[in-house]
Amino acid sequence: MVPEADFTSYYGRPIVKAAPWERDIAYYLFTGGVAAGSSLLAGGADLTDRPGLRRAGRIGSLVALLLSVVALVHDLGKPSRFLNMLRVVKLTSPMSVGTWILSLHAPFAGLASAAELVGMLPARWQRGPVRLLLRLGRPAGLVGAVTAPPLAAYTAVLLSDTATPAWHSAYEELPFVFCGSAAAASGGWAMATAPVAEAGPARAFAVGGAAVELLMAHRMESSMGLSAETLHTGKAGTLIRASKVLTAAGAAGALLGGRSRLLSVVSGTALMAGSLCTRLGVYEAGLASANDPKYTVVPQRERVERGEQVRYQG
């Protein structure tokens, strides 16, 4: 009798090469989501006459966009590499499409944020070009809001389009997890910074985003197969557990806190921290799955035994 073969690889080395991204990209996954959600909230606040919420959303979007640019440029090494990606449009490449989404969203969101900052100046300074900038604030903000959902979702597509086992096996649910996480984080930012009387939409946005994130994360873990182990062990496991606790606690605070300023700040901070832990946890889980050959070999053998394609066709 020949014993059943066990999975292995040459000298136990990884079969799949881990993504070359540094942790800067994990932070970009978070700041990009906050920028997108904040732009969406600011656009809605502008249309419903909530100036305090609009200001919080636009400033949050500006800060998150600046941090996103810093993270991207640091990972790429120099700004010209980002500009080089704009030389072509490749619809089959999530990275190419994502670069263009960011390039379309950022100028309009930045213009709206600049108009918001200029609007805080004394009235005697709001003349000439400054007045024109103020008039451009609403249309620019609405374009930023329209382009926000693709910005929140494309990073999940970017991860799941790789050969990294934990990311690729989550391709169906990961966009929903990231969009929910973006809504929870940006809603949390607005809860913490906007006037309490105007923050009702932000609370609803945060609670809805948190619910989507938690539900889809649970479904994702159930559908990933063996690679779901990476979400429960090691550094990724610690981050994902913290994410669930912080997100659930923040959502509960948003529901029960009502018009309490202190509880709004605490709950909003918890939601933002939970979203950051989600992004970092998913990032770490992907690296762990790429470094252990069993997450590549075992699922392949299981598909062969079921008579399915060895390679994903998704």
PDB file of all heavy atoms in Angstrom, residues 6 16 59 85 98 254 261:
ATOM      1  N   ASP A   6       1.300  13.692   0.687  1.00  0.00           N
ATOM      2  CA  ASP A   6       1.021  14.934   1.396  1.00  0.00           C
ATOM      3  C   ASP A   6       1.446  16.100   0.510  1.00  0.00           C
ATOM      4  O   ASP A   6       2.272  15.948  -0.395  1.00  0.00           O
ATOM      5  CB  ASP A   6       1.800  14.960   2.715  1.00  0.00           C
ATOM      6  CG  ASP A   6       1.311  16.045   3.652  1.00  0.00           C
ATOM      7  OD1 ASP A   6       0.273  16.653   3.340  1.00  0.00           O
ATOM      8  OD2 ASP A   6       1.978  16.287   4.680  1.00  0.00           O
ATOM      9  N   VAL A  16       3.442  30.369  -4.647  1.00  0.00           N
ATOM     10  CA  VAL A  16       2.983  31.658  -5.154  1.00  0.00           C
ATOM     11  C   VAL A  16       3.862  32.761  -4.579  1.00  0.00           C
ATOM     12  O   VAL A  16       4.110  32.792  -3.372  1.00  0.00           O
ATOM     13  CB  VAL A  16       1.511  31.904  -4.766  1.00  0.00           C
ATOM     14  CG1 VAL A  16       1.067  33.295  -5.182  1.00  0.00           C
ATOM     15  CG2 VAL A  16       0.615  30.851  -5.400  1.00  0.00           C
ATOM     16  N   ILE A  59     -13.500  67.913   4.350  1.00  0.00           N
ATOM     17  CA  ILE A  59     -12.185  67.952   4.997  1.00  0.00           C
ATOM     18  C   ILE A  59     -11.660  66.532   5.216  1.00  0.00           C
ATOM     19  O   ILE A  59     -10.474  66.246   5.012  1.00  0.00           O
ATOM     20  CB  ILE A  59     -12.263  68.731   6.322  1.00  0.00           C
ATOM     21  CG1 ILE A  59     -12.537  70.206   6.028  1.00  0.00           C
ATOM     22  CG2 ILE A  59     -10.976  68.567   7.125  1.00  0.00           C
ATOM     23  CD1 ILE A  59     -12.721  71.058   7.264  1.00  0.00           C
ATOM     24  N   MET A  85       1.642  55.223 -15.163  1.00  0.00           N
ATOM     25  CA  MET A  85       0.496  54.334 -15.297  1.00  0.00           C
ATOM     26  C   MET A  85      -0.655  54.995 -16.043  1.00  0.00           C
ATOM     27  O   MET A  85      -1.578  54.317 -16.508  1.00  0.00           O
ATOM     28  CB  MET A  85       0.032  53.866 -13.914  1.00  0.00           C
ATOM     29  CG  MET A  85       1.009  52.924 -13.234  1.00  0.00           C
ATOM     30  SD  MET A  85       0.345  52.125 -11.754  1.00  0.00           S
ATOM     31  CE  MET A  85       0.322  53.499 -10.605  1.00  0.00           C
ATOM     32  N   GLY A  98      -8.109  51.281 -11.692  1.00  0.00           N
ATOM     33  CA  GLY A  98      -8.087  51.962 -10.410  1.00  0.00           C
ATOM     34  C   GLY A  98      -7.300  53.256 -10.448  1.00  0.00           C
ATOM     35  O   GLY A  98      -7.672  54.254  -9.820  1.00  0.00           O
ATOM     36  N   ALA A 254     -23.314  54.175  17.769  1.00  0.00           N
ATOM     37  CA  ALA A 254     -23.997  55.067  16.843  1.00  0.00           C
ATOM     38  C   ALA A 254     -25.513  54.928  16.950  1.00  0.00           C
ATOM     39  O   ALA A 254     -26.252  55.911  16.825  1.00  0.00           O
ATOM     40  CB  ALA A 254     -23.545  54.771  15.415  1.00  0.00           C
ATOM     41  N   ARG A 261     -22.553  63.989  22.294  1.00  0.00           N
ATOM     42  CA  ARG A 261     -21.311  64.372  21.624  1.00  0.00           C
ATOM     43  C   ARG A 261     -20.187  63.407  21.961  1.00  0.00           C
ATOM     44  O   ARG A 261     -19.442  62.964  21.091  1.00  0.00           O
ATOM     45  CB  ARG A 261     -20.929  65.788  22.066  1.00  0.00           C
ATOM     46  CG  ARG A 261     -19.695  66.344  21.383  1.00  0.00           C
ATOM     47  CD  ARG A 261     -20.009  66.677  19.943  1.00  0.00           C
ATOM     48  NE  ARG A 261     -18.910  66.382  19.068  1.00  0.00           N
ATOM     49  CZ  ARG A 261     -19.000  66.292  17.748  1.00  0.00           C
ATOM     50  NH1 ARG A 261     -20.172  66.428  17.172  1.00  0.00           N
ATOM     51  NH2 ARG A 261     -17.972  66.036  17.009  1.00  0.00           N
TER      52      ARG A 261
END
